Amino acid sequence: MGEHHSIIIIGGGPAGYTAAIYAGRANLKPLLAEGYGAGGQLMLTTDVENYPGFPAGIQGPQLMGDLRGQAERFGAQIITADVEKVDLTQRPHRVWIEGTEHTADAVIIATGATARWLNLPSETALRGFGVSTCATCDGFFFKDQRMVVVGGGDSAMEEAIYLTRMAEHVTIVHRRHQFRASDIMARRALENDKIDVRWNAEVIEVLGDGKVEAVRLRDTRTGEEDILPTAALFVAIGHDPTTGLFAGQIDLDDEGYIITDGTRTSREGVFACGDVQDTVYRQAITAAASGCMAAIDAERWLETRNDTQGAAGAATPATKDA
Ligand code: NAP
């Protein structure tokens, strides 16, 4: 049996680390299970240029390492392992990590989401070198060049429209003859002069030596193949929230995302932040901000129940809060 904790945070991305920084500074001594995939989606990116405070940009893994170090500095106990099982149906909540059962008064879920990939070896090889799942993060690197977006949903429309601000031209490649996207988003994309669509086509290979130079397309009806030159491939075929552990214990929407009111979930004392509950923004900075909110919400929730251990007597901060 492991120790009892005021707060257990599940997930080591910008949301989880930020929650740990705030919970740590509130003297709640959080336990953070960061998972074997510690750092989350930012570990797959190279330059992060839109995280405020880094005018020259910062490498994704560096940013995650810094956030992690900051959480440790304020007393977070970090375990690099996946949570195997949870029981959130009773209090204290129970969380199993590496075969040990830990208990907590409050749990913050920050397990994130994973972008879906096409699962092509050439796509994996060129990830970060022109292959991306985030136009907001990486579009700027291919300014005034041709770009390809794969997908037919709202994400693909949004990514394609966003990319037209910097691209010379954007081609949407969709495997059917009809978009899944909402009418309004589809219309905006179709009416944009910089966008054309390759219907009934799939990307079967990403071509390039060290960087993306083209994609090989196959017609889904005829099987015919051709090559489309491009500087970048944005894969926008959806995300999968990491919520398998929680199904049946807290309310999830149809896509598997955690339903939140602020950061509160349907279960008393369980909070969620970051991409696991966000289908709209999905940015490192919004994940971090919601991690801060979850920690503050959890702290206040603990206080109102007089459950905090030591928080009431927390030392006066030596530095000013942001
Ligand atoms: P989505 O609606 O599930 O669409 C995924 C698209 O990718 C579909 O067109 C699908 O094709 C295609 N696709 C899936 N797997 C593929 C594969 N292996 N190869 C090629 N194509 C593949 O996902 P989403 O666009 O990320 O949207 C998710 C949710 O977020 C939706 O509810 C959406 O409305 C919402 N959203 C809203 C906004 C907004 O309102 N601004 C923006 C983004 C997302 P098929 O159509 O053939 O299945």
Side-chain angles (χ1 to χ4, degrees), residues 156-279:
M157 303 303 115
E158 199 168 65
E159 302 275 85
I161 293 163
Y162 173 81
L163 289 171
T164 57
R165 293 189 207 160
M166 58 214 75
E168 181 201 326
H169 186 82
V170 178
T171 301
I172 298 175
V173 175
H174 184 39
R175 62 185 178 183
R176 292 189 295 131
H177 62 283
Q178 196 182 10
F179 285 143
R180 177 178 296 277
S182 56
D183 283 349
I184 183 158
M185 295 289 284
R187 206 167 47 236
R188 268 186 217 152
L190 291 169
E191 286 173 359
N192 191 309
D193 290 342
K194 278 192 170 179
I195 296 178
D196 76 334
V197 184
R198 285 290 302 265
W199 302 105
N200 303 303
E202 56 187 352
V203 173
I204 55 168
E205 191 182 1
V206 190
L207 305 167
D209 188 10
K211 65 180 173 66
V212 173
E213 286 159 19
V215 288
R216 189 187 303 280
L217 301 181
R218 181 165 57 201
D219 190 301
T220 52
R221 298 158 307 174
T222 63
E224 221 168 275
E225 296 181 9
D226 69 311
I227 287 173
L228 178 66
T230 183
L233 171 68
F234 290 92
V235 181
I237 60 173
H239 286 77
D240 293 316
T242 313
T243 48
L245 278 176
F246 316 111
Q249 302 195 36
I250 52 175
D251 289 349
L252 308 178
D253 70 13
D254 291 344
E255 308 273 331
Y257 286 88
I258 297 175
I259 297 172
T260 47
D261 175 8
T263 67
R264 285 169 185 257
T265 69
S266 58
R267 183 71 64 182
E268 185 81 350
V270 180
F271 302 82
C273 51
D275 285 11
V276 75
Q277 50 85 62
D278 175 11
T279 58

Side-chain angles (χ1 to χ4, degrees), residues 96-155:
W96 283 263
I97 310 166
E98 292 184 309
T100 303
E101 178 189 334
H102 300 261
T103 56
D105 297 317
V107 169
I108 296 178
I109 300 171
T111 44
T114 337
R116 289 184 202 137
W117 295 93
L118 298 168
N119 294 324
L120 304 168
S122 54
E123 171 198 48
T124 312
L126 289 166
R127 237 184 239 183
F129 301 97
V131 174
S132 167
T133 52
C134 180
T136 320
C137 317
D138 299 323
F140 186 77
F141 300 119
F142 309 99
K143 208 163 178 288
D144 299 325
Q145 300 181 66
R146 299 183 77 83
M147 309 186 197
V148 167
V149 174
V150 182
D154 280 334
S155 293

